[in-house]
Amino acid sequence: MPFSRLGLSPAVLQGVRAAGYTDPTPIQLRAIPLALAGRDIIGCAQTGTGKTAAFALPILTKLAHHGKLRALVLEPTRELAAQVETAFRDYGRFSDLRVAVVYGGVGYGAQEKALREGVDIVVATPGRLLDHMRSGRCRLNHVEVLVLDEADRMLDMGFLPDVKRIIEQCPSHRQTMLFSATIPPEIVTLAQWALKDPETIEIGRRRSPAETVRHALYPVADDQRDELLIELLKRTDFDSVLVFCRTKDRADHVAAMLHRTGHSVAVLHSNRTQSEREHALRGFREGRFEVLVATDIAARGLDVEDISHVINYDMPQHAEDYVHRIGRTGRALATGDAFTIMTAEDKKQVHAIEFFIGQSIPRVKLENFPYKYTTLLDPEAERRMRTMGRRRR
Ligand code: AMP
């Protein structure tokens, strides 16, 4: 799912593009539609998951144009507050919305000036915000969206009483989003008091297939893709394998090739009739076919237990599809193998996937396989290209 399908405004999408993001991260995928729908959210997520954009993008979309102070984000430290303010500015640079940051340890002048001139979003640490509230420079009576970011750290730092005082000054009819890496009992109590019918999103706590599955990339020259796939199957002790291809034609090609090499194969794509598809699926489920070759669309919602291996003959088009694909393995036992064939053109996509799943995937070479030359297998060429890339930048 690309950013453009999440319901964000054109101006915000432009900001996202300018930030260089291509695919939403898991927390963004889940939180953005809920936030846009006005739901209260508890997000269990650490920094590094893209949680700032998960709340900032819907806020910018909802506020749309300059007006009153309508969004307040509380942060435990000035560093975080400054970071989050910068993120709002970056994503919102194609709108006329104004954001101010408020934290202690610095003079009041610049913060007072910003508040006086009128802002739509305030990112603040609790103590200094209370100072501005007490002196009447900051009023929260028009706040529509409140974000309590890094709530567990605010608790650790003893800020909860201040946080509560601030929340009491916000209208009770508002949307509240609470983000926290952990949810100790005090945070549960706070959430029960401050949030209404919240939706909980857990990212990174319950381990996803992306974490439990063993990943491997198999770099190879493009014209050795078939050979490598055959060899991989020969050397793998598998129960059932799902092979993913980019197009129907490629899926047909791979199925025919595997059939010729003695595998029992079924193929699943949208050109097949309903009865052909059912036949393929039933046969695969019952173990009559050991390999199922499929395209992404055909495999959506596919419910087959005990797939031991997923092999990406082609790289998925979107990083998110990688997770869907490997989610097919590792379901019951929470283990499994995901092999991905990689050619020189796939490098950008590999980086996108590695970013998306938050880990780098080991590159594996098959021993005694008659590899042809590709820069991917040549560490010296790789190093040269990286240096050239850096120089260009
Ligand atoms: P956060 O968890 O909000 O601190 O974000 C961690 C880092 O990921 C920041 O440097 C963001 O700029 C970056 N980031 C957030 N969302 C995306 C995305 N969808 N694609 C690429 N980078 C992202």
Side-chain angles (χ1 to χ4, degrees):
M1 168 98 64
F3 274 107
S4 55
R5 302 257 302 274
L6 296 178
L8 297 166
S9 67
V12 170
L13 285 174
Q14 213 180 336
V16 168
R17 267 195 300 278
Y21 303 170
T22 49
D23 295 292
T25 65
I27 191 156
Q28 290 163 4
L29 269 178
R30 300 201 40 213
I32 291 172
L34 285 170
L36 287 174
R39 291 291 304 270
D40 280 8
I41 294 174
I42 298 178
C44 303
Q46 275 144 355
T47 32
T49 51
K51 75 176 159 62
T52 312
F55 61 78
L57 303 179
I59 288 178
L60 291 164
T61 293
K62 288 175 83 141
L63 301 191
H65 294 293
H66 178 53
K68 296 188 166 120
L69 167 52
R70 286 160 295 157
L72 173 64
V73 180
L74 294 183
E75 297 287 342
T77 65
R78 46 192 279 185
E79 289 74 22
L80 269 168
Q83 250 176 53
V84 169
E85 186 226 6
T86 307
F88 268 103
R89 275 186 204 286
D90 280 350
Y91 307 141
R93 74 176 88 162
F94 298 102
S95 74
D96 63 350
L97 292 166
R98 295 190 202 159
V99 47
V101 66
V102 160
Y103 51 68
V106 293
Y108 284 78
Q111 296 174 7
E112 280 173 7
K113 183 166 177 282
L115 292 170
R116 205 171 38 241
E117 286 172 354
V119 289
D120 304 279
I121 302 154
V122 165
V123 183
T125 52
R128 176 60 68 92
L129 179 67
L130 279 170
D131 286 350
H132 286 293
M133 286 162 63
R134 278 189 210 108
S135 62
R137 278 182 297 267
C138 188
R139 289 167 56 80
L140 305 181
N141 53 325
H142 292 287
V143 166
E144 296 167 14
V145 190
L146 170 67
V147 177
L148 309 173
D149 195 20
E150 309 253 333
D152 51 354
R153 284 180 67 190
M154 294 208 271
L155 166 78
D156 290 343
M157 295 170 76
F159 288 156
L160 277 206
D162 283 354
V163 169
K164 283 188 185 151
R165 249 171 254 140
I166 292 166
I167 297 176
E168 276 164 355
Q169 298 301 311
C170 294
S172 59
H173 187 72
R174 58 158 201 271
Q175 178 180 22
T176 311
M177 299 187 244
L178 181 151
F179 292 87
S180 202
T182 58
I183 310 280
E186 294 91 332
I187 298 297
V188 175
T189 311
L190 174 72
Q192 280 166 347
W193 174 69
L195 278 71
K196 286 195 195 94
D197 184 27
E199 181 84 26
T200 301
I201 301 176
E202 283 186 62
I203 300 292
R205 283 188 74 216
R206 198 180 302 132
R207 303 217 303 153
S208 68
E211 293 170 272
T212 55
V213 162
R214 276 186 301 274
H215 308 259
L217 284 165
Y218 288 89
V220 74
D222 190 44
D223 59 357
Q224 283 196 299
R225 225 184 259 271
D226 289 357
E227 249 177 284
L228 187 89
L229 174 64
I230 292 169
E231 200 55 35
L232 257 179
L233 287 173
K234 208 184 279 175
R235 297 186 192 194
T236 306
D237 181 19
F238 62 84
D239 300 323
S240 56
V241 190
L242 190 52
V243 178
F244 279 99
C245 298
R246 199 171 52 229
T247 63
K248 299 165 206 166
D249 287 346
R250 288 169 80 85
D252 282 333
H253 160 79
V254 168
M257 172 188 77
L258 293 181
H259 184 71
R260 279 197 303 276
T261 50
H263 292 283
S264 53
V265 192
V267 62
L268 200 66
H269 59 59
S270 51
N271 269 9
R272 310 231 97 197
T273 64
Q274 185 60 25
S275 70
E276 282 172 328
R277 282 194 250 176
E278 276 166 19
H279 174 74
L281 260 181
R282 202 173 326 113
F284 188 57
R285 275 201 198 104
E286 292 167 3
R288 269 179 288 123
F289 302 119
E290 54 181 4
V291 184
L292 181 65
V293 184
T295 57
D296 284 295
I297 296 167
R300 278 262 146 97
L302 186 76
D303 193 19
V304 184
E305 300 246 313
D306 301 334
I307 294 174
S308 62
H309 291 73
V310 164
I311 300 182
N312 296 313
Y313 176 82
D314 291 312
M315 198 65 68
Q317 251 181 326
H318 300 286
E320 182 200 342
D321 289 333
Y322 180 80
V323 178
H324 284 305
R325 287 180 178 189
I326 63 159
R328 308 275 143 241
T329 175
R331 276 185 160 185
L333 299 169
T335 57
D337 288 283
F339 299 156
T340 301
I341 297 177
M342 172 190 184
T343 65
E345 289 88 79
D346 297 327
K347 271 199 284 191
K348 249 176 96 181
Q349 188 57 4
V350 165
H351 287 139
I353 290 168
E354 291 182 319
F355 174 80
F356 192 78
I357 65 171
Q359 54 183 285
S360 65
I361 308 178
R363 276 71 171 156
V364 182
K365 258 181 100 170
L366 285 182
E367 247 175 76
N368 302 322
F369 179 79
Y371 280 105
K372 286 188 192 167
Y373 178 80
T374 155
T375 51
L376 283 179
L377 298 167
D378 179 349
E380 194 42 49
E382 280 286 288
R383 222 181 348 264
R384 268 200 311 276
M385 271 169 25
R386 266 202 303 277
T387 328
M388 269 162 54
R390 264 203 297 278
R391 266 193 225 124
R392 243 181 270 129
R393 255 181 269 138

